[in-house]
Amino acid sequence: MQLKKRATALTVAAMAAVLVGSAQTAAIAGADEQFGEYNVGGRILEAFKATGGAEKWGDPTMDEAFADKGGRFQRFDKGTSFYWKANVSNGIAHPISDPIRAKWGSLGFERGALKFPTSNEIDAAGKGRKQLFQGGNLYTSEKSGQHPVWGGILGKYAAAGGPGKFGMPTSDEYRIGRNFAQNFEGGRLVWP
């Protein structure tokens, strides 16, 4: 008899756990918001609303999807995508807009050397814009175009004063013999 009461109690407890779990799942799903034909939710919704929402970025053009290496992304109709990964930038989603997004895409998006964004697009000392990524920075200006700066050259660029003193990059990195080089408004940097 006691065994039967114990089994009944365990069954009731298991059913309660399932009900509580499903209520929590419904609450999370209910936090999504519909914009046009697609939903925006979670970390992307937080960043989307905090940075201007549909007025600035437009409506989503797809559902949130898997990015490489366990990340997530969603595209919007005004030339922007939001990307995030739980262990990058404290799980904060960042918008990546054209023309930075186009250059990042030509380098392999999150699968390339730059990997995931770690900042939103920011001012580059009044000379253009930049966005920080796990593997380096991407710079853009009307005058010099879009160029990544990474690795040893990024360290030298920062030591030379970055865009404020050494100007914006005017080329991507290239090889000179066994070294790497990159051109900037203030001259050429070579590594090592």
mmCIF file of all heavy atoms in Angstrom, residues 51 56-57 89 94-101 117-133 136-141 147 154 157 163-164 168-169:
data_model
loop_
_atom_site.group_PDB
_atom_site.id
_atom_site.type_symbol
_atom_site.label_atom_id
_atom_site.label_comp_id
_atom_site.label_asym_id
_atom_site.label_seq_id
_atom_site.Cartn_x
_atom_site.Cartn_y
_atom_site.Cartn_z
ATOM 1 N N THR A 51 18.388 49.347 -30.005
ATOM 2 C CA THR A 51 19.157 50.118 -30.983
ATOM 3 C C THR A 51 18.301 50.802 -32.046
ATOM 4 O O THR A 51 18.846 51.307 -33.024
ATOM 5 C CB THR A 51 20.199 49.216 -31.671
ATOM 6 O OG1 THR A 51 19.522 48.119 -32.309
ATOM 7 C CG2 THR A 51 21.227 48.691 -30.686
ATOM 8 N N LYS A 56 14.358 51.845 -37.386
ATOM 9 C CA LYS A 56 15.737 51.969 -37.864
ATOM 10 C C LYS A 56 16.144 50.801 -38.762
ATOM 11 O O LYS A 56 16.784 51.011 -39.794
ATOM 12 C CB LYS A 56 16.696 52.047 -36.683
ATOM 13 C CG LYS A 56 18.141 52.234 -37.103
ATOM 14 C CD LYS A 56 19.032 52.562 -35.941
ATOM 15 C CE LYS A 56 20.451 52.846 -36.418
ATOM 16 N NZ LYS A 56 21.315 53.229 -35.328
ATOM 17 N N TRP A 57 15.806 49.567 -38.386
ATOM 18 C CA TRP A 57 16.312 48.385 -39.072
ATOM 19 C C TRP A 57 15.326 47.753 -40.059
ATOM 20 O O TRP A 57 15.721 46.915 -40.846
ATOM 21 C CB TRP A 57 16.726 47.315 -38.055
ATOM 22 C CG TRP A 57 17.632 47.819 -36.989
ATOM 23 C CD1 TRP A 57 17.369 47.866 -35.645
ATOM 24 C CD2 TRP A 57 18.946 48.365 -37.129
ATOM 25 N NE1 TRP A 57 18.433 48.389 -34.960
ATOM 26 C CE2 TRP A 57 19.416 48.709 -35.840
ATOM 27 C CE3 TRP A 57 19.779 48.595 -38.217
ATOM 28 C CZ2 TRP A 57 20.675 49.265 -35.619
ATOM 29 C CZ3 TRP A 57 21.032 49.150 -37.998
ATOM 30 C CH2 TRP A 57 21.463 49.480 -36.719
ATOM 31 N N SER A 89 30.769 38.370 -26.157
ATOM 32 C CA SER A 89 30.196 39.665 -25.786
ATOM 33 C C SER A 89 29.054 39.500 -24.773
ATOM 34 O O SER A 89 28.022 40.163 -24.876
ATOM 35 C CB SER A 89 29.714 40.396 -27.053
ATOM 36 O OG SER A 89 29.471 41.751 -26.804
ATOM 37 N N HIS A 94 24.523 41.890 -31.717
ATOM 38 C CA HIS A 94 25.002 43.143 -32.313
ATOM 39 C C HIS A 94 24.507 43.262 -33.749
ATOM 40 O O HIS A 94 24.592 42.310 -34.518
ATOM 41 C CB HIS A 94 26.524 43.205 -32.301
ATOM 42 C CG HIS A 94 27.104 43.232 -30.929
ATOM 43 N ND1 HIS A 94 27.006 44.337 -30.117
ATOM 44 C CD2 HIS A 94 27.760 42.289 -30.210
ATOM 45 C CE1 HIS A 94 27.605 44.079 -28.964
ATOM 46 N NE2 HIS A 94 28.057 42.837 -28.994
ATOM 47 N N PRO A 95 24.021 44.464 -34.121
ATOM 48 C CA PRO A 95 23.649 44.681 -35.521
ATOM 49 C C PRO A 95 24.893 44.894 -36.369
ATOM 50 O O PRO A 95 25.854 45.527 -35.936
ATOM 51 C CB PRO A 95 22.802 45.959 -35.468
ATOM 52 C CG PRO A 95 23.297 46.693 -34.261
ATOM 53 C CD PRO A 95 23.743 45.638 -33.286
ATOM 54 N N ILE A 96 24.866 44.324 -37.575
ATOM 55 C CA ILE A 96 25.947 44.524 -38.539
ATOM 56 C C ILE A 96 25.271 45.014 -39.815
ATOM 57 O O ILE A 96 24.461 44.310 -40.406
ATOM 58 C CB ILE A 96 26.714 43.228 -38.817
ATOM 59 C CG1 ILE A 96 27.232 42.629 -37.511
ATOM 60 C CG2 ILE A 96 27.862 43.477 -39.785
ATOM 61 C CD1 ILE A 96 27.840 41.266 -37.674
ATOM 62 N N SER A 97 25.599 46.236 -40.208
ATOM 63 C CA SER A 97 24.933 46.855 -41.357
ATOM 64 C C SER A 97 25.892 47.007 -42.525
ATOM 65 O O SER A 97 27.106 47.059 -42.352
ATOM 66 C CB SER A 97 24.408 48.245 -40.966
ATOM 67 O OG SER A 97 23.452 48.130 -39.942
ATOM 68 N N ASP A 98 25.298 47.107 -43.730
ATOM 69 C CA ASP A 98 26.100 47.407 -44.904
ATOM 70 C C ASP A 98 26.642 48.819 -44.788
ATOM 71 O O ASP A 98 25.985 49.665 -44.204
ATOM 72 C CB ASP A 98 25.242 47.275 -46.168
ATOM 73 C CG ASP A 98 24.924 45.815 -46.490
ATOM 74 O OD1 ASP A 98 25.728 44.939 -46.118
ATOM 75 O OD2 ASP A 98 23.884 45.557 -47.103
ATOM 76 N N PRO A 99 27.852 49.102 -45.213
ATOM 77 C CA PRO A 99 28.738 48.279 -46.019
ATOM 78 C C PRO A 99 29.651 47.352 -45.210
ATOM 79 O O PRO A 99 30.318 46.505 -45.791
ATOM 80 C CB PRO A 99 29.552 49.305 -46.803
ATOM 81 C CG PRO A 99 29.632 50.477 -45.894
ATOM 82 C CD PRO A 99 28.318 50.493 -45.144
ATOM 83 N N ILE A 100 29.686 47.486 -43.862
ATOM 84 C CA ILE A 100 30.520 46.587 -43.057
ATOM 85 C C ILE A 100 30.056 45.144 -43.233
ATOM 86 O O ILE A 100 30.867 44.236 -43.389
ATOM 87 C CB ILE A 100 30.540 47.019 -41.573
ATOM 88 C CG1 ILE A 100 31.386 48.296 -41.428
ATOM 89 C CG2 ILE A 100 31.077 45.912 -40.678
ATOM 90 C CD1 ILE A 100 31.442 48.872 -40.032
ATOM 91 N N ARG A 101 28.736 44.917 -43.224
ATOM 92 C CA ARG A 101 28.220 43.558 -43.357
ATOM 93 C C ARG A 101 28.650 42.931 -44.682
ATOM 94 O O ARG A 101 29.023 41.759 -44.734
ATOM 95 C CB ARG A 101 26.693 43.556 -43.239
ATOM 96 C CG ARG A 101 26.104 42.152 -43.321
ATOM 97 C CD ARG A 101 24.611 42.161 -43.169
ATOM 98 N NE ARG A 101 23.979 42.702 -44.371
ATOM 99 C CZ ARG A 101 22.711 42.547 -44.674
ATOM 100 N NH1 ARG A 101 21.902 41.887 -43.857
ATOM 101 N NH2 ARG A 101 22.203 43.058 -45.774
ATOM 102 N N PRO A 117 30.774 39.466 -34.111
ATOM 103 C CA PRO A 117 30.937 40.852 -33.659
ATOM 104 C C PRO A 117 30.962 40.923 -32.140
ATOM 105 O O PRO A 117 30.292 40.146 -31.465
ATOM 106 C CB PRO A 117 29.692 41.554 -34.219
ATOM 107 C CG PRO A 117 28.671 40.477 -34.335
ATOM 108 C CD PRO A 117 29.435 39.231 -34.686
ATOM 109 N N THR A 118 31.741 41.858 -31.624
ATOM 110 C CA THR A 118 31.802 42.090 -30.176
ATOM 111 C C THR A 118 31.367 43.510 -29.817
ATOM 112 O O THR A 118 31.435 43.903 -28.659
ATOM 113 C CB THR A 118 33.227 41.830 -29.634
ATOM 114 O OG1 THR A 118 34.146 42.702 -30.303
ATOM 115 C CG2 THR A 118 33.637 40.379 -29.850
ATOM 116 N N SER A 119 30.967 44.284 -30.814
ATOM 117 C CA SER A 119 30.454 45.638 -30.568
ATOM 118 C C SER A 119 29.451 45.982 -31.655
ATOM 119 O O SER A 119 29.387 45.310 -32.679
ATOM 120 C CB SER A 119 31.589 46.679 -30.591
ATOM 121 O OG SER A 119 31.962 46.986 -31.936
ATOM 122 N N ASN A 120 28.708 47.036 -31.422
ATOM 123 C CA ASN A 120 27.913 47.642 -32.479
ATOM 124 C C ASN A 120 28.862 48.507 -33.304
ATOM 125 O O ASN A 120 30.012 48.736 -32.924
ATOM 126 C CB ASN A 120 26.799 48.507 -31.884
ATOM 127 C CG ASN A 120 25.780 47.688 -31.118
ATOM 128 O OD1 ASN A 120 25.750 46.470 -31.175
ATOM 129 N ND2 ASN A 120 24.925 48.366 -30.375
ATOM 130 N N GLU A 121 28.401 49.018 -34.420
ATOM 131 C CA GLU A 121 29.202 49.938 -35.231
ATOM 132 C C GLU A 121 29.399 51.226 -34.436
ATOM 133 O O GLU A 121 28.466 51.736 -33.827
ATOM 134 C CB GLU A 121 28.449 50.224 -36.524
ATOM 135 C CG GLU A 121 29.246 50.963 -37.553
ATOM 136 C CD GLU A 121 28.477 51.120 -38.847
ATOM 137 O OE1 GLU A 121 28.101 50.094 -39.445
ATOM 138 O OE2 GLU A 121 28.236 52.281 -39.233
ATOM 139 N N ILE A 122 30.628 51.744 -34.430
ATOM 140 C CA ILE A 122 30.956 52.950 -33.661
ATOM 141 C C ILE A 122 31.800 53.901 -34.502
ATOM 142 O O ILE A 122 32.344 53.526 -35.538
ATOM 143 C CB ILE A 122 31.690 52.596 -32.335
ATOM 144 C CG1 ILE A 122 32.924 51.723 -32.623
ATOM 145 C CG2 ILE A 122 30.758 51.901 -31.367
ATOM 146 C CD1 ILE A 122 33.759 51.370 -31.399
ATOM 147 N N ASP A 123 31.928 55.131 -34.018
ATOM 148 C CA ASP A 123 32.728 56.150 -34.690
ATOM 149 C C ASP A 123 34.202 55.768 -34.677
ATOM 150 O O ASP A 123 34.702 55.211 -33.697
ATOM 151 C CB ASP A 123 32.534 57.502 -33.982
ATOM 152 C CG ASP A 123 33.361 58.584 -34.609
ATOM 153 O OD1 ASP A 123 33.063 58.965 -35.760
ATOM 154 O OD2 ASP A 123 34.316 59.053 -33.951
ATOM 155 N N ALA A 124 34.915 56.059 -35.743
ATOM 156 C CA ALA A 124 36.355 55.806 -35.842
ATOM 157 C C ALA A 124 37.077 57.146 -35.878
ATOM 158 O O ALA A 124 37.530 57.606 -36.925
ATOM 159 C CB ALA A 124 36.677 54.974 -37.072
ATOM 160 N N ALA A 125 37.127 57.812 -34.728
ATOM 161 C CA ALA A 125 37.851 59.080 -34.563
ATOM 162 C C ALA A 125 37.400 60.147 -35.555
ATOM 163 O O ALA A 125 38.195 60.949 -36.026
ATOM 164 C CB ALA A 125 39.360 58.856 -34.658
ATOM 165 N N GLY A 126 36.118 60.153 -35.912
ATOM 166 C CA GLY A 126 35.587 61.154 -36.824
ATOM 167 C C GLY A 126 35.976 60.956 -38.275
ATOM 168 O O GLY A 126 35.654 61.772 -39.131
ATOM 169 N N LYS A 127 36.675 59.861 -38.587
ATOM 170 C CA LYS A 127 37.152 59.633 -39.954
ATOM 171 C C LYS A 127 36.329 58.591 -40.701
ATOM 172 O O LYS A 127 36.542 58.362 -41.884
ATOM 173 C CB LYS A 127 38.604 59.193 -39.912
ATOM 174 C CG LYS A 127 39.475 60.180 -39.184
ATOM 175 C CD LYS A 127 40.759 60.370 -39.862
ATOM 176 C CE LYS A 127 41.500 61.488 -39.137
ATOM 177 N NZ LYS A 127 42.868 61.533 -39.462
ATOM 178 N N GLY A 128 35.449 57.923 -40.002
ATOM 179 C CA GLY A 128 34.641 56.860 -40.581
ATOM 180 C C GLY A 128 33.979 56.084 -39.463
ATOM 181 O O GLY A 128 33.739 56.615 -38.379
ATOM 182 N N ARG A 129 33.718 54.821 -39.711
ATOM 183 C CA ARG A 129 33.059 53.954 -38.743
ATOM 184 C C ARG A 129 33.879 52.678 -38.604
ATOM 185 O O ARG A 129 34.671 52.329 -39.486
ATOM 186 C CB ARG A 129 31.647 53.599 -39.204
ATOM 187 C CG ARG A 129 30.783 54.761 -39.585
ATOM 188 C CD ARG A 129 30.243 55.567 -38.454
ATOM 189 N NE ARG A 129 29.309 54.802 -37.647
ATOM 190 C CZ ARG A 129 28.946 55.151 -36.427
ATOM 191 N NH1 ARG A 129 29.425 56.244 -35.874
ATOM 192 N NH2 ARG A 129 28.103 54.423 -35.726
ATOM 193 N N LYS A 130 33.686 51.982 -37.486
ATOM 194 C CA LYS A 130 34.343 50.698 -37.298
ATOM 195 C C LYS A 130 33.438 49.787 -36.484
ATOM 196 O O LYS A 130 32.522 50.252 -35.794
ATOM 197 C CB LYS A 130 35.701 50.842 -36.611
ATOM 198 C CG LYS A 130 35.628 51.246 -35.144
ATOM 199 C CD LYS A 130 37.002 51.338 -34.547
ATOM 200 C CE LYS A 130 36.943 51.792 -33.087
ATOM 201 N NZ LYS A 130 38.266 51.859 -32.484
ATOM 202 N N GLN A 131 33.705 48.497 -36.586
ATOM 203 C CA GLN A 131 33.022 47.510 -35.761
ATOM 204 C C GLN A 131 34.060 46.501 -35.304
ATOM 205 O O GLN A 131 34.924 46.082 -36.084
ATOM 206 C CB GLN A 131 31.892 46.826 -36.536
ATOM 207 C CG GLN A 131 31.045 45.948 -35.647
ATOM 208 C CD GLN A 131 29.623 45.785 -36.155
ATOM 209 O OE1 GLN A 131 29.275 46.216 -37.244
ATOM 210 N NE2 GLN A 131 28.793 45.161 -35.336
ATOM 211 N N LEU A 132 33.969 46.146 -34.025
ATOM 212 C CA LEU A 132 34.921 45.212 -33.433
ATOM 213 C C LEU A 132 34.386 43.790 -33.544
ATOM 214 O O LEU A 132 33.196 43.544 -33.341
ATOM 215 C CB LEU A 132 35.165 45.566 -31.966
ATOM 216 C CG LEU A 132 35.463 47.040 -31.654
ATOM 217 C CD1 LEU A 132 35.696 47.232 -30.163
ATOM 218 C CD2 LEU A 132 36.633 47.554 -32.462
ATOM 219 N N PHE A 133 35.285 42.859 -33.827
ATOM 220 C CA PHE A 133 34.967 41.439 -33.950
ATOM 221 C C PHE A 133 35.964 40.651 -33.119
ATOM 222 O O PHE A 133 37.000 41.175 -32.715
ATOM 223 C CB PHE A 133 35.060 40.998 -35.416
ATOM 224 C CG PHE A 133 34.007 41.596 -36.302
ATOM 225 C CD1 PHE A 133 34.146 42.878 -36.808
ATOM 226 C CD2 PHE A 133 32.860 40.884 -36.622
ATOM 227 C CE1 PHE A 133 33.180 43.443 -37.623
ATOM 228 C CE2 PHE A 133 31.884 41.436 -37.433
ATOM 229 C CZ PHE A 133 32.037 42.715 -37.930
ATOM 230 N N GLY A 136 39.423 40.828 -34.926
ATOM 231 C CA GLY A 136 39.973 42.097 -35.407
ATOM 232 C C GLY A 136 38.877 43.133 -35.568
ATOM 233 O O GLY A 136 37.792 42.990 -35.008
ATOM 234 N N ASN A 137 39.163 44.172 -36.316
ATOM 235 C CA ASN A 137 38.207 45.261 -36.540
ATOM 236 C C ASN A 137 37.955 45.436 -38.032
ATOM 237 O O ASN A 137 38.832 45.187 -38.848
ATOM 238 C CB ASN A 137 38.751 46.583 -35.994
ATOM 239 C CG ASN A 137 39.070 46.528 -34.513
ATOM 240 O OD1 ASN A 137 38.577 45.676 -33.791
ATOM 241 N ND2 ASN A 137 39.914 47.442 -34.071
ATOM 242 N N LEU A 138 36.757 45.927 -38.346
ATOM 243 C CA LEU A 138 36.434 46.274 -39.730
ATOM 244 C C LEU A 138 36.149 47.764 -39.780
ATOM 245 O O LEU A 138 35.358 48.266 -38.990
ATOM 246 C CB LEU A 138 35.193 45.499 -40.181
ATOM 247 C CG LEU A 138 35.382 44.600 -41.396
ATOM 248 C CD1 LEU A 138 34.183 43.718 -41.611
ATOM 249 C CD2 LEU A 138 35.723 45.349 -42.628
ATOM 250 N N TYR A 139 36.837 48.469 -40.674
ATOM 251 C CA TYR A 139 36.722 49.922 -40.800
ATOM 252 C C TYR A 139 36.038 50.269 -42.117
ATOM 253 O O TYR A 139 36.236 49.590 -43.123
ATOM 254 C CB TYR A 139 38.107 50.568 -40.770
ATOM 255 C CG TYR A 139 38.809 50.396 -39.447
ATOM 256 C CD1 TYR A 139 39.498 49.236 -39.150
ATOM 257 C CD2 TYR A 139 38.756 51.400 -38.483
ATOM 258 C CE1 TYR A 139 40.124 49.071 -37.922
ATOM 259 C CE2 TYR A 139 39.384 51.250 -37.261
ATOM 260 C CZ TYR A 139 40.066 50.072 -36.983
ATOM 261 O OH TYR A 139 40.676 49.912 -35.763
ATOM 262 N N THR A 140 35.286 51.380 -42.113
ATOM 263 C CA THR A 140 34.652 51.834 -43.340
ATOM 264 C C THR A 140 34.619 53.358 -43.388
ATOM 265 O O THR A 140 34.437 54.024 -42.365
ATOM 266 C CB THR A 140 33.213 51.280 -43.485
ATOM 267 O OG1 THR A 140 32.679 51.685 -44.747
ATOM 268 C CG2 THR A 140 32.297 51.762 -42.378
ATOM 269 N N SER A 141 34.854 53.886 -44.576
ATOM 270 C CA SER A 141 34.658 55.312 -44.841
ATOM 271 C C SER A 141 34.378 55.462 -46.330
ATOM 272 O O SER A 141 34.759 54.599 -47.125
ATOM 273 C CB SER A 141 35.877 56.151 -44.427
ATOM 274 O OG SER A 141 36.933 56.001 -45.349
ATOM 275 N N HIS A 147 37.798 47.882 -44.915
ATOM 276 C CA HIS A 147 38.995 47.053 -44.759
ATOM 277 C C HIS A 147 39.092 46.500 -43.345
ATOM 278 O O HIS A 147 38.901 47.234 -42.378
ATOM 279 C CB HIS A 147 40.252 47.871 -45.059
ATOM 280 C CG HIS A 147 40.242 48.483 -46.417
ATOM 281 N ND1 HIS A 147 40.438 47.739 -47.570
ATOM 282 C CD2 HIS A 147 40.029 49.756 -46.819
ATOM 283 C CE1 HIS A 147 40.352 48.541 -48.611
ATOM 284 N NE2 HIS A 147 40.102 49.763 -48.183
ATOM 285 N N LEU A 154 47.123 45.020 -36.449
ATOM 286 C CA LEU A 154 46.182 45.742 -35.584
ATOM 287 C C LEU A 154 46.900 46.289 -34.358
ATOM 288 O O LEU A 154 46.674 47.434 -33.962
ATOM 289 C CB LEU A 154 45.010 44.841 -35.168
ATOM 290 C CG LEU A 154 43.965 45.476 -34.250
ATOM 291 C CD1 LEU A 154 43.339 46.721 -34.874
ATOM 292 C CD2 LEU A 154 42.888 44.451 -33.883
ATOM 293 N N TYR A 157 48.910 49.233 -35.512
ATOM 294 C CA TYR A 157 47.987 50.330 -35.847
ATOM 295 C C TYR A 157 47.525 51.048 -34.579
ATOM 296 O O TYR A 157 47.530 52.278 -34.507
ATOM 297 C CB TYR A 157 46.803 49.740 -36.625
ATOM 298 C CG TYR A 157 45.767 50.706 -37.129
ATOM 299 C CD1 TYR A 157 46.102 51.872 -37.805
ATOM 300 C CD2 TYR A 157 44.415 50.413 -36.958
ATOM 301 C CE1 TYR A 157 45.120 52.724 -38.298
ATOM 302 C CE2 TYR A 157 43.430 51.255 -37.454
ATOM 303 C CZ TYR A 157 43.789 52.407 -38.118
ATOM 304 O OH TYR A 157 42.813 53.243 -38.607
ATOM 305 N N PRO A 163 42.893 55.199 -36.103
ATOM 306 C CA PRO A 163 42.368 56.105 -37.126
ATOM 307 C C PRO A 163 42.549 57.578 -36.784
ATOM 308 O O PRO A 163 42.686 58.407 -37.679
ATOM 309 C CB PRO A 163 40.884 55.733 -37.225
ATOM 310 C CG PRO A 163 40.578 54.954 -36.012
ATOM 311 C CD PRO A 163 41.856 54.349 -35.533
ATOM 312 N N GLY A 164 42.606 57.911 -35.500
ATOM 313 C CA GLY A 164 42.751 59.310 -35.096
ATOM 314 C C GLY A 164 44.080 59.921 -35.503
ATOM 315 O O GLY A 164 44.144 61.091 -35.875
ATOM 316 N N MET A 168 42.638 56.099 -41.648
ATOM 317 C CA MET A 168 41.880 54.891 -41.939
ATOM 318 C C MET A 168 42.687 53.950 -42.839
ATOM 319 O O MET A 168 43.550 54.401 -43.597
ATOM 320 C CB MET A 168 40.572 55.262 -42.648
ATOM 321 C CG MET A 168 39.617 56.078 -41.797
ATOM 322 S SD MET A 168 38.914 55.161 -40.420
ATOM 323 C CE MET A 168 37.621 54.253 -41.264
ATOM 324 N N PRO A 169 42.402 52.642 -42.772
ATOM 325 C CA PRO A 169 43.068 51.723 -43.695
ATOM 326 C C PRO A 169 42.603 51.986 -45.131
ATOM 327 O O PRO A 169 41.436 52.301 -45.357
ATOM 328 C CB PRO A 169 42.623 50.342 -43.210
ATOM 329 C CG PRO A 169 41.382 50.566 -42.420
ATOM 330 C CD PRO A 169 41.478 51.953 -41.863
#
